[in-house]
Amino acid sequence: MEQRITHACGHEQAHYLTGFASQQDHKARWLTTTKCRSCFITEKKTALADAASRDGAAIAHLDLPPLTGSERQVAWATTVRASRLAALVAEPDAGNTDAFHACRAITDAKWWIDHRDLANTDLLAKAENSICPANIPAELAIPARLHQAT
Ligand SMILES: [Zn+2]
C-alpha cells in the first residue's frame, strides 16, 4: 500500500510498500531516516560536480592534449582522464615519472574508457606499453649503431 513518508530532509514522498505489515512498518521507519529521492539525487550531483572541479584543479597545470574519438567517448573519457590523472598527481611517486608522462600523452578516448577501472600502477604500465615507438620524435629515436660510433 502507498504511504506518505516524511524523510530526514523534511520532504514528504509517497512510497509503495509491500510485504507483511511488520515488514512495511520496518521499511517505513527506515525510510524516515533517509533523504527523499530528489534530495538524494541533488546531493549525488553536487558530489560529482565537486569531484570534477577538484580533479580539474589538480590537473590544470598539465596542459593536456585534446582527446580523440566520438563525441560521447570524448565526453566520458574527459571525466575519466581527469579523475585518474588527479589521483596520479596526488601520489608522490607517480606524478612525475616517464610512465605518468606517457599516460598524460594518451589522447585516445577509448583507451581511457577501457582502462578506467585499472589500479594506478596497472594504468601506468599500460600507458607505457601503449605509447607507439613511431610516435617518438625522430631526433629522440637514435639508432643503436650511432650510439656505438660516438
Ligand atoms: Zn528532500
Side-chain angles (χ1 to χ4, degrees):
M1 86 174 178
E2 197 176 83
Q3 273 193 43
R4 300 209 51 95
I5 305 279
T6 304
H7 285 268
C9 55
H11 299 128
E12 206 181 68
Q13 189 187 322
H15 290 270
Y16 188 75
L17 301 175
T18 56
F20 296 113
S22 64
Q23 292 173 320
Q24 290 187 24
D25 281 352
H26 188 258
K27 182 91 192 283
R29 265 201 307 278
W30 174 75
L31 283 168
T32 62
T33 68
T34 65
K35 293 192 166 70
C36 75
R37 191 182 297 116
S38 85
C39 281
F40 176 77
I41 291 170
T42 307
E43 194 173 75
K44 200 122 207 198
K45 276 190 184 153
T46 309
L48 279 176
D50 283 355
S53 74
R54 252 198 325 273
D55 293 345
I59 60 166
H61 64 291
L62 290 179
D63 189 23
L64 294 169
L67 293 168
T68 57
S70 73
E71 203 176 310
R72 220 173 134 242
Q73 284 175 327
V74 168
W76 185 6
T78 301
T79 318
V80 171
R81 180 173 70 169
S83 83
R84 298 310 310 260
L85 289 182
L88 290 172
V89 167
E91 268 194 31
D93 297 332
N96 203 22
T97 58
D98 289 348
F100 176 77
H101 291 296
C103 202
R104 180 184 159 273
I106 290 170
T107 57
D108 181 13
K110 192 174 173 300
W111 188 92
W112 286 102
I113 293 165
D114 288 350
H115 298 105
R116 68 188 183 280
D117 293 326
L118 287 184
N120 282 349
T121 42
D122 295 337
L123 187 75
L124 289 173
K126 276 269 188 256
E128 269 198 310
N129 293 335
S130 300
I131 292 292
C132 173
N135 293 336
I136 296 170
E139 66 268 23
L140 292 178
I142 302 166
R145 60 192 156 78
L146 285 182
H147 267 304
Q148 283 163 4
T150 54

